[in-house]
């Protein structure tokens, strides 16, 4: 196989390449997107805790909890229960 063919096979059509920082950290706002996407995928599972979401996206529950608090303030998610803290997506208006 030539280099040209190998390169073209490595790219997946329709999926843009993700720009990652050299140290593998997420950029500003990327965690919000991961959390919201995970919650959309699991919307029928009921309220989700930061721990459950963190396990699903392989991020710390503390970072996810902070993200959820920020998303709650912005009106993107709603805290459904106080103990244990769990969240649901806010309905589109």
């Amino acid at each position: 196989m030539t280099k040209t063919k190998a390169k073209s096979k490595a790219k997946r059509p329709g999926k843009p390449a993700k720009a990652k920082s050299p140290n593998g950290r997420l950029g500003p706002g990327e965690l919000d997107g991961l959390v919201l996407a995970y919650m959309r995928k699991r919307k029928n599972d009921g309220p989700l805790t930061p721990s459950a979401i963190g396990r699903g996206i392989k991020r710390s529950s503390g970072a996810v909890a902070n993200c959820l608090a920020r998303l709650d303030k912005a009106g993107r998610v709603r805290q459904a229960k106080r103990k244990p803290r769990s969240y649901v997506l806010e309905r589109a208006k």
Side-chain angles (χ1 to χ4, degrees), residues 15-54:
K15 292 197 176 195
K18 286 187 177 181
K20 286 196 175 188
S21 66
N23 59 7
R25 298 181 69 162
L26 295 175
E30 286 186 274
L31 184 59
D32 296 12
L34 289 174
V35 167
L36 290 170
Y38 184 83
M39 290 181 77
R40 278 187 211 104
K41 193 182 339 180
R42 306 270 189 245
K43 65 183 171 192
N44 295 327
D45 291 352
L48 297 169
T49 63
S51 296
I53 296 169

Side-chain angles (χ1 to χ4, degrees), residues 22-86:
N23 59 7
R25 298 181 69 162
L26 295 175
E30 286 186 274
L31 184 59
D32 296 12
L34 289 174
V35 167
L36 290 170
Y38 184 83
M39 290 181 77
R40 278 187 211 104
K41 193 182 339 180
R42 306 270 189 245
K43 65 183 171 192
N44 295 327
D45 291 352
L48 297 169
T49 63
S51 296
I53 296 169
R55 279 191 304 273
I57 62 173
K58 294 180 177 44
R59 298 289 167 185
S60 75
S61 60
V64 172
N66 292 337
C67 177
L68 286 166
R70 191 173 54 250
L71 290 170
D72 188 17
K73 253 185 182 174
R76 306 282 308 270
V77 300
R78 179 176 48 85
Q79 187 172 353
K81 291 194 291 185
R82 285 186 61 190
K83 290 196 178 189
R85 274 187 299 172
S86 55

